[in-house]
Structures are given as C-alpha cells and as structure tokens.
Amino acid sequence: MMWGLLQSLGYEVTVAALGGAVVLCFVQAKRRFKNARLEKQYPVAGEYISLFEDEDQGSKVVMKAPVTLRQKGRQIVGETTLPGGRKWILRGELSEDGYFHGLYHAAALQDKGVGNFFLEMDYRGNLEGIWSGYDSHNRKVQSGRYSFVKKSKVRIHKFRERYMSAVMDIAENQLGAAYIDESELRDESNIALVASVDKEIAGFCLARKIDLDHLYKMVPQLRTENIKRLKFLDQVGLVSSIATASKFQGCGVGSELMTRALSGLESLDVHTMVMTGWKSERGVHIESIGHKNGFNEVIEIPHFWHEDSQQYGYRCPSCGEPPCDCSAVVYIRHAKMATREDD
C-alpha cells in the first residue's frame, strides 16, 4: 500500500514538474517573441551623433559626440566618447511604447560621473529627451536636453569644379580667409577629396607626395629637430589641409577623409605621413583625427603663421586680421619610430 502511495506521489510530482517546465518554456518563448517584436518595431541599434546641453566655465553649451548603441530585444547598451577622450557607458531598456530609459556612468573607474536619461524615438528613428546626473568635472548635479541623431552615410568624392564654392566656404570658415587657394584644389598632383552627407558638401582634404627637402623648406624646424625617421627618406606624404563644416563636425567626416587620403598616399608608395595642425586657444583642430589614424606629435612651433599671414593676407578664425599668432603642431604617422637624435 505504501509503495502504491509513493508511486502515485512520484507520478504527481513528475506531472507537476513537467507542467512547470512547460509553463516556464511558454513564458520564456512569449518573452522572446515580445522582445523580438519590440526590437523590430523600435530598432535602436546603430551609430548616432549625440547632442546634449552641458556647462563649460559657467556657460551653457551644446556638446556633440558619436554614440554606438547595441540592442537585444528591449535591452540596450552603448558607449559614447566626448572630445578629449572621456568615455561614457549607457545601459537601459525599451518600453512597449518606444521610450528608451536607463543609466549612464563614466567608463574610467576614477571618474565618478553618473546619471540617468529618458529618450523617445521619433518617426525618423532619432531619439529625443533629457539627461540628469552628477558631473564629476564640474562637481555638481546638472541636467539638460539630450538628442541622438542617426548617422548619415559619409561619401567621399574626388574634387570637381562644381564643388569649388562650397569647399572654399568651408575653408574660409574653418581655416581662415585666403588660407586655401583655388589652384591647390585644381592641381592634379594633389589628392583633393570632398566629403558629402545627404548630398550636401560636408568637408574637404588636401594631401600630396613631396620631397623631404620641400618639407624642410615648409617647416625648417623639422630639420633642426633632427627626426631620425625622416633622415632616411627621400619623400613623404603630406596631409596639408583638412576641414569639416561646423554642422557636420563630430559625424565622422574628418575620419573618412583622412582614411581615404592616407590610402591615396600609400598608393603613391609613401608610407611616412606628415601633418600640420593649427593650435589655438581651443586646442589643435585635427588632434583627435590624427591620433585615431596613428599620428603622434613631434614638435610644436609657436607663431608659425605669423609672417605668412601678413604676406598672403590669411585671416585666422581665432586671431582675426593678420598677423596670426597661433602655433603649429607637427604630427608624423608611426611616430613610435620617429624619435629625436640623442645628444
């Protein structure tokens, strides 16, 4: 009798366990289905440009930074890197009605910045909302508007005459009036590239292969610095100018131009690249792009454009009318192999 009772009890337990397993599988399948449907309805994963209100030296500013988001159902994680290299991690989830909300924190352990965000997806797939949190740099709790705009594809073209007006406008606004001459863009010995975003001209780049002696005439300080990496070369690749229109800065335009320019120079059988950056009160305009592409600083030259700005009438965006008192920073690619000769 006892054995029969145990058999009956064991059967009931087995049935209950199987029933529980079936229910669990059903619940998990239902959850996966709902998550898959939500991901299809609100596809958040992708590359964005974030714009957010912040504070700089007591003044409200709008910052811009690239964002990468990854999605698995309703769960979303991402990261963004600000100008200067400060990185943030975002973690959140998607609600049934298309709201993306969660927390963010600084990637560096010693950086105590932390906060939350609330974003809504619009019909174009962009995200709009607010952020609030503790900024460890300003040492205060702040909040502001937060927007994620889907990155548009950057297209690179060879320079054509029809691009001249737009390119010269960008050159004047970003590098200064009279800094670029139209003949440089037309010169077929130069690699002249133009970037477009949504059929609008977004930036340009000039590069060329030059003899080392020519480089030394342009930047005589390089000869006196005695850079070992340059001593054994006959020719180098020079990235002479690169600029992005203000509305497209932070959208990857400069990086795309630089990648294509370096590829073009390498196809001319030069593998050491030199680039000169303009340094003003706001920093070096090409520092971030240079570092991303393997360039390192080898020398800073104060008042580099002082005489040329007076001779050719350059109007510096920072200094205004000539003379220009900005410094030049010279970068060399693979600078780990470029060292100063020991005394």
Side-chain angles (χ1 to χ4, degrees):
M1 185 175 177
M2 182 63 71
W3 175 248
L5 183 61
L6 289 174
Q7 281 184 318
S8 176
L9 183 60
Y11 173 76
E12 291 176 3
V13 169
T14 301
V15 170
L18 287 173
V22 169
V23 171
L24 180 61
C25 289
F26 175 78
V27 170
Q28 289 179 336
K30 185 178 179 181
R31 184 183 295 120
R32 283 195 295 269
F33 174 77
K34 288 179 67 176
N35 286 344
R37 185 185 64 185
L38 195 62
E39 184 173 342
K40 185 176 181 179
Q41 185 178 1
Y42 299 107
V44 175
E47 302 288 328
Y48 295 80
I49 297 298
S50 71
L51 297 96
F52 60 95
E53 294 177 336
D54 202 355
E55 189 174 301
D56 183 24
Q57 298 179 348
S59 301
K60 281 283 186 182
V61 295
V62 176
M63 303 290 287
K64 186 184 288 188
V67 180
T68 301
L69 296 179
R70 298 179 296 278
Q71 181 177 9
K72 187 174 182 180
R74 66 175 63 245
Q75 301 300 316
I76 300 167
V77 296
E79 61 182 42
T80 179
T81 304
L82 306 186
R86 195 179 183 196
K87 184 179 288 188
W88 297 89
I89 306 300
L90 299 88
R91 300 182 187 278
E93 65 177 42
L94 200 61
S95 67
E96 295 286 345
D97 43 5
Y99 292 99
F100 173 34
H101 55 90
L103 303 174
Y104 67 83
H105 64 87
L109 293 176
Q110 68 273 19
D111 190 335
K112 303 304 179 183
V114 66
N116 58 71
F117 59 88
F118 185 88
L119 301 164
E120 181 181 10
M121 178 179 283
D122 66 18
Y123 70 94
R124 296 166 298 182
N126 298 327
L127 301 165
E128 185 76 32
I130 58 172
W131 69 271
S132 65
Y134 175 69
D135 186 339
S136 58
H137 281 196
N138 293 323
R139 297 186 176 181
K140 61 196 300 189
V141 174
Q142 296 175 255
S143 64
R145 188 174 174 180
Y146 204 13
S147 304
F148 285 19
V149 180
K150 281 265 189 182
K151 250 187 182 181
S152 298
K153 184 174 178 59
V154 179
R155 300 184 183 277
I156 306 298
H157 320 267
K158 289 183 178 180
F159 174 79
R160 295 288 183 268
E161 193 68 27
R162 64 180 178 272
Y163 304 141
M164 181 66 79
S165 177
V167 168
M168 293 304 291
D169 283 345
I170 294 171
E172 181 171 341
N173 291 329
Q174 301 302 321
L175 304 176
Y179 184 73
I180 296 293
D181 189 85
E182 292 183 2
S183 62
E184 296 179 71
L185 294 162
R186 295 189 179 107
D187 188 342
E188 294 187 0
S189 66
N190 286 335
I191 297 173
L193 302 172
V194 174
S196 68
V197 175
D198 295 332
K199 298 184 179 181
E200 184 175 351
I201 301 303
F204 75 95
C205 179
L206 279 170
R208 65 183 185 272
K209 177 179 178 178
I210 64 171
D211 294 335
L212 188 61
D213 286 342
H214 187 185
L215 177 66
Y216 283 155
K217 287 178 182 178
M218 295 173 59
V219 190
Q221 293 86 347
L222 282 175
R223 188 190 295 273
T224 57
E225 284 293 309
N226 214 6
I227 306 296
K228 280 185 177 180
R229 175 65 171 164
L230 297 177
K231 286 176 62 177
F232 305 103
L233 300 173
D234 295 321
Q235 296 176 315
V236 297
L238 174 68
V239 181
S240 55
S241 297
I242 185 167
T244 303
S246 297
K247 68 180 287 187
F248 295 109
Q249 289 177 4
C251 298
V253 172
S255 293
E256 291 290 339
L257 284 165
M258 180 67 76
T259 298
R260 187 69 67 87
L262 294 177
S263 177
L265 290 169
E266 288 172 354
S267 72
L268 299 176
D269 200 29
V270 288
H271 303 285
T272 295
M273 315 300 179
V274 178
M275 178 172 64
T276 302
W278 157 54
K279 184 176 183 179
S280 66
E281 297 174 340
R282 294 173 292 179
V284 185
H285 78 295
I286 55 165
E287 182 176 44
S288 176
I289 296 172
H291 287 169
K292 287 179 182 177
N293 286 276
F295 285 88
N296 282 337
E297 177 184 338
V298 293
I299 183 175
E300 180 175 334
I301 308 167
H303 312 297
F304 181 74
W305 288 280
H306 187 91
E307 293 183 11
D308 279 359
S309 65
Q310 292 178 303
Q311 181 178 351
Y312 301 108
Y314 301 159
R315 189 182 184 282
C316 171
S318 180
C319 301
E321 296 296 333
C324 170
D325 288 318
C326 295
S327 299
V329 178
V330 180
Y331 296 85
I332 296 180
R333 198 181 189 199
H334 305 310
K336 63 184 179 181
M337 301 173 64
T339 58
R340 297 180 186 180
E341 194 166 49
D342 295 332
D343 293 333

Coordinates of all heavy atoms in Angstrom, one line a residue, residues 30-72:
K30 N 7.2 33.4 -24.9 CA 6.4 34.6 -25.0 C 7.2 35.8 -24.9 O 7.1 36.8 -25.6 CB 5.3 34.5 -24.0 CG 4.3 35.7 -24.2 CD 3.1 35.5 -23.1 CE 2.2 36.7 -23.3 NZ 1.1 36.6 -22.2
R31 N 8.1 35.8 -23.9 CA 9.0 36.9 -23.6 C 9.9 37.2 -24.8 O 10.1 38.3 -25.2 CB 9.8 36.7 -22.4 CG 10.7 37.9 -22.0 CD 11.6 37.6 -20.8 NE 10.7 37.4 -19.6 CZ 10.7 36.3 -18.9 NH1 11.5 35.3 -19.2 NH2 10.0 36.2 -17.8
R32 N 10.5 36.1 -25.4 CA 11.4 36.3 -26.5 C 10.6 36.8 -27.7 O 11.1 37.7 -28.5 CB 12.0 34.9 -26.9 CG 13.2 34.5 -26.0 CD 14.0 33.4 -26.6 NE 13.2 32.2 -26.7 CZ 13.2 31.2 -25.8 NH1 13.9 31.4 -24.7 NH2 12.5 30.1 -26.0
F33 N 9.4 36.3 -27.9 CA 8.6 36.8 -29.0 C 8.3 38.3 -28.8 O 8.4 39.1 -29.8 CB 7.3 36.0 -29.1 CG 6.3 36.6 -30.1 CD1 6.5 36.3 -31.4 CD2 5.2 37.3 -29.7 CE1 5.6 36.8 -32.4 CE2 4.3 37.8 -30.6 CZ 4.5 37.6 -32.0
K34 N 7.9 38.7 -27.6 CA 7.6 40.1 -27.4 C 8.9 41.0 -27.6 O 8.8 42.1 -28.1 CB 7.1 40.3 -25.9 CG 5.7 39.8 -25.8 CD 5.2 39.9 -24.3 CE 5.0 41.4 -24.0 NZ 4.5 41.6 -22.6
N35 N 10.0 40.5 -27.1 CA 11.3 41.3 -27.3 C 11.6 41.4 -28.7 O 12.1 42.5 -29.2 CB 12.4 40.6 -26.5 CG 12.3 40.8 -25.0 OD1 11.5 41.6 -24.5 ND2 13.0 40.0 -24.2
A36 N 11.5 40.3 -29.5 CA 11.8 40.3 -30.9 C 10.9 41.3 -31.6 O 11.3 42.1 -32.5 CB 11.7 38.9 -31.5
R37 N 9.6 41.3 -31.3 CA 8.6 42.2 -31.9 C 9.0 43.6 -31.5 O 8.9 44.5 -32.4 CB 7.2 41.8 -31.4 CG 6.1 42.7 -32.1 CD 4.8 42.4 -31.5 NE 4.7 42.8 -30.1 CZ 3.7 42.5 -29.2 NH1 2.7 41.9 -29.7 NH2 3.8 42.9 -28.0
L38 N 9.3 43.9 -30.3 CA 9.7 45.2 -29.8 C 10.9 45.7 -30.6 O 11.0 46.9 -31.0 CB 10.0 45.2 -28.3 CG 10.0 46.6 -27.6 CD1 8.6 47.3 -27.8 CD2 10.4 46.4 -26.2
E39 N 11.9 44.8 -30.7 CA 13.2 45.2 -31.5 C 12.9 45.5 -32.9 O 13.5 46.4 -33.5 CB 14.2 44.1 -31.4 CG 15.5 44.4 -32.0 CD 16.6 43.4 -31.7 OE1 16.4 42.6 -30.8 OE2 17.6 43.4 -32.4
K40 N 12.0 44.8 -33.5 CA 11.6 45.0 -34.9 C 10.8 46.3 -35.0 O 11.0 47.1 -36.0 CB 10.8 43.9 -35.4 CG 10.5 44.0 -36.9 CD 9.7 42.7 -37.4 CE 9.4 42.9 -38.9 NZ 8.7 41.6 -39.4
Q41 N 10.0 46.6 -34.1 CA 9.1 47.8 -34.1 C 9.9 49.0 -33.8 O 9.7 50.1 -34.4 CB 8.0 47.7 -33.1 CG 7.0 48.8 -33.1 CD 5.8 48.6 -32.1 OE1 5.8 47.6 -31.4 NE2 4.9 49.5 -32.1
Y42 N 10.9 48.9 -32.9 CA 11.8 50.0 -32.5 C 13.2 49.6 -32.6 O 13.9 49.4 -31.6 CB 11.4 50.5 -31.0 CG 10.0 50.9 -30.8 CD1 9.1 50.1 -30.1 CD2 9.6 52.2 -31.3 CE1 7.8 50.6 -29.9 CE2 8.3 52.6 -31.1 CZ 7.4 51.8 -30.4 OH 6.1 52.2 -30.2
P43 N 13.8 49.6 -33.8 CA 15.2 49.2 -34.0 C 16.1 50.4 -33.5 O 16.3 51.4 -34.3 CB 15.3 48.9 -35.5 CG 14.2 49.8 -36.1 CD 13.1 49.9 -35.1
V44 N 16.7 50.3 -32.4 CA 17.5 51.3 -31.8 C 19.0 51.2 -32.2 O 19.7 52.2 -32.3 CB 17.3 51.4 -30.3 CG1 18.3 52.4 -29.7 CG2 15.9 51.7 -30.0
A45 N 19.5 50.0 -32.4 CA 20.9 49.7 -32.6 C 21.4 50.5 -33.8 O 20.7 50.6 -34.8 CB 21.1 48.2 -32.8
G46 N 22.6 51.0 -33.6 CA 23.2 51.8 -34.7 C 24.2 52.8 -34.3 O 24.5 52.9 -33.1
E47 N 24.6 53.6 -35.3 CA 25.5 54.7 -35.0 C 24.8 56.1 -35.0 O 24.0 56.3 -35.9 CB 26.6 54.8 -36.1 CG 27.4 53.5 -36.3 CD 28.4 53.3 -35.1 OE1 28.9 54.3 -34.6 OE2 28.6 52.1 -34.8
Y48 N 25.0 56.9 -34.0 CA 24.4 58.1 -33.8 C 25.4 59.2 -33.5 O 26.5 59.0 -33.1 CB 23.4 58.1 -32.6 CG 22.2 57.1 -32.7 CD1 22.4 55.8 -32.5 CD2 21.0 57.6 -33.1 CE1 21.3 54.9 -32.6 CE2 19.9 56.7 -33.2 CZ 20.1 55.4 -32.9 OH 19.0 54.5 -33.0
I49 N 24.9 60.5 -33.6 CA 25.6 61.6 -33.1 C 24.7 62.2 -32.0 O 23.5 62.5 -32.2 CB 25.8 62.7 -34.2 CG1 26.7 62.2 -35.3 CG2 26.4 64.0 -33.6 CD1 28.1 61.8 -34.9
S50 N 25.3 62.3 -30.8 CA 24.5 62.8 -29.7 C 24.8 64.3 -29.5 O 25.9 64.8 -29.7 CB 24.9 62.1 -28.4 OG 26.2 62.4 -28.0
L51 N 23.7 65.0 -29.2 CA 23.9 66.5 -28.9 C 23.3 66.6 -27.5 O 22.1 66.2 -27.3 CB 23.1 67.3 -29.9 CG 23.7 67.3 -31.3 CD1 22.8 66.3 -32.1 CD2 23.6 68.6 -32.0
F52 N 24.0 67.2 -26.6 CA 23.5 67.4 -25.2 C 23.9 68.7 -24.6 O 25.0 69.2 -24.9 CB 23.9 66.2 -24.3 CG 25.4 66.0 -24.2 CD1 26.1 66.6 -23.1 CD2 26.1 65.3 -25.1 CE1 27.4 66.4 -23.0 CE2 27.5 65.2 -25.0 CZ 28.2 65.7 -23.9
E53 N 23.0 69.2 -23.8 CA 23.3 70.5 -23.2 C 24.2 70.2 -22.0 O 24.0 69.3 -21.2 CB 22.0 71.2 -22.7 CG 21.1 71.6 -23.8 CD 19.8 72.2 -23.4 OE1 19.4 71.9 -22.2 OE2 19.2 73.0 -24.1
D54 N 25.3 71.0 -21.8 CA 26.2 70.9 -20.8 C 26.6 72.3 -20.3 O 26.1 73.3 -20.8 CB 27.4 70.1 -21.3 CG 28.2 69.4 -20.1 OD1 27.8 69.6 -18.9 OD2 29.1 68.7 -20.4
E55 N 27.6 72.3 -19.4 CA 28.1 73.6 -18.9 C 29.6 73.6 -19.0 O 30.3 72.7 -18.7 CB 27.7 73.7 -17.4 CG 28.0 75.1 -16.8 CD 27.4 75.2 -15.4 OE1 26.2 75.0 -15.2 OE2 28.3 75.5 -14.5
D56 N 30.1 74.7 -19.5 CA 31.5 74.9 -19.7 C 31.9 76.3 -19.2 O 31.5 77.3 -19.7 CB 31.9 74.8 -21.2 CG 33.4 74.9 -21.4 OD1 34.2 74.6 -20.5 OD2 33.8 75.3 -22.5
Q57 N 32.7 76.3 -18.1 CA 33.1 77.5 -17.4 C 31.9 78.4 -17.1 O 31.9 79.7 -17.3 CB 34.1 78.3 -18.3 CG 35.4 77.5 -18.5 CD 36.4 78.2 -19.4 OE1 36.1 79.2 -20.0 NE2 37.6 77.7 -19.5
G58 N 30.8 77.8 -16.6 CA 29.7 78.6 -16.2 C 28.7 78.9 -17.3 O 27.6 79.5 -17.0
S59 N 29.0 78.6 -18.5 CA 28.1 78.9 -19.6 C 27.5 77.6 -20.2 O 28.1 76.6 -20.3 CB 28.8 79.6 -20.7 OG 29.4 80.8 -20.2
K60 N 26.2 77.7 -20.6 CA 25.5 76.6 -21.3 C 26.1 76.4 -22.7 O 26.2 77.4 -23.4 CB 24.0 76.9 -21.3 CG 23.3 76.6 -20.1 CD 23.1 75.1 -19.8 CE 22.2 74.9 -18.6 NZ 22.0 73.4 -18.4
V61 N 26.4 75.2 -23.0 CA 26.9 74.9 -24.3 C 26.2 73.6 -24.8 O 25.7 72.8 -24.0 CB 28.5 74.6 -24.3 CG1 29.2 75.9 -24.0 CG2 28.9 73.5 -23.4
V62 N 26.3 73.4 -26.1 CA 25.8 72.1 -26.7 C 26.9 71.3 -27.2 O 27.7 71.7 -28.0 CB 24.8 72.4 -27.8 CG1 24.3 71.0 -28.5 CG2 23.6 73.1 -27.3
M63 N 27.1 70.1 -26.6 CA 28.2 69.3 -26.9 C 27.8 68.2 -28.0 O 26.6 67.9 -28.0 CB 28.8 68.5 -25.7 CG 29.2 69.4 -24.6 SD 30.7 70.3 -25.0 CE 31.9 69.0 -24.8
K64 N 28.7 67.7 -28.7 CA 28.4 66.7 -29.8 C 29.4 65.6 -29.6 O 30.6 65.8 -29.4 CB 28.5 67.4 -31.1 CG 28.1 66.5 -32.3 CD 28.4 67.2 -33.6 CE 27.4 68.4 -33.9 NZ 27.5 68.9 -35.2
A65 N 28.9 64.4 -29.7 CA 29.8 63.2 -29.6 C 29.1 62.0 -30.3 O 27.9 61.9 -30.4 CB 30.0 62.8 -28.1
P66 N 30.0 61.1 -30.9 CA 29.5 59.9 -31.5 C 29.0 58.9 -30.5 O 29.5 58.8 -29.4 CB 30.7 59.3 -32.3 CG 31.8 59.8 -31.5 CD 31.4 61.2 -31.0
V67 N 27.9 58.1 -30.8 CA 27.3 57.1 -29.9 C 27.1 55.8 -30.7 O 26.6 55.9 -31.8 CB 26.0 57.6 -29.3 CG1 25.4 56.5 -28.4 CG2 26.1 58.9 -28.6
T68 N 27.5 54.7 -30.1 CA 27.2 53.4 -30.7 C 26.2 52.7 -29.7 O 26.5 52.5 -28.6 CB 28.4 52.6 -30.9 OG1 29.3 53.3 -31.8 CG2 28.1 51.2 -31.5
L69 N 25.1 52.2 -30.2 CA 24.1 51.5 -29.4 C 24.0 50.1 -30.0 O 23.9 49.9 -31.2 CB 22.7 52.2 -29.5 CG 22.6 53.6 -28.8 CD1 21.2 54.1 -29.0 CD2 23.1 53.6 -27.4
R70 N 23.9 49.1 -29.0 CA 23.6 47.7 -29.4 C 22.4 47.3 -28.7 O 22.1 47.7 -27.5 CB 24.8 46.8 -28.9 CG 26.1 47.2 -29.6 CD 27.3 46.4 -29.2 NE 27.6 46.5 -27.7 CZ 28.3 47.5 -27.3 NH1 28.8 48.5 -28.1 NH2 28.5 47.7 -26.0
Q71 N 21.6 46.4 -29.4 CA 20.3 46.1 -28.9 C 20.0 44.6 -28.9 O 20.4 43.9 -29.8 CB 19.2 46.8 -29.7 CG 17.8 46.5 -29.3 CD 16.8 47.3 -30.2 OE1 17.1 47.9 -31.2 NE2 15.5 47.3 -29.8
K72 N 19.4 44.1 -27.8 CA 19.0 42.7 -27.8 C 17.6 42.7 -27.1 O 17.4 42.8 -25.9 CB 19.9 41.8 -26.9 CG 19.6 40.3 -27.0 CD 20.6 39.5 -26.3 CE 20.3 38.0 -26.4 NZ 21.3 37.2 -25.7

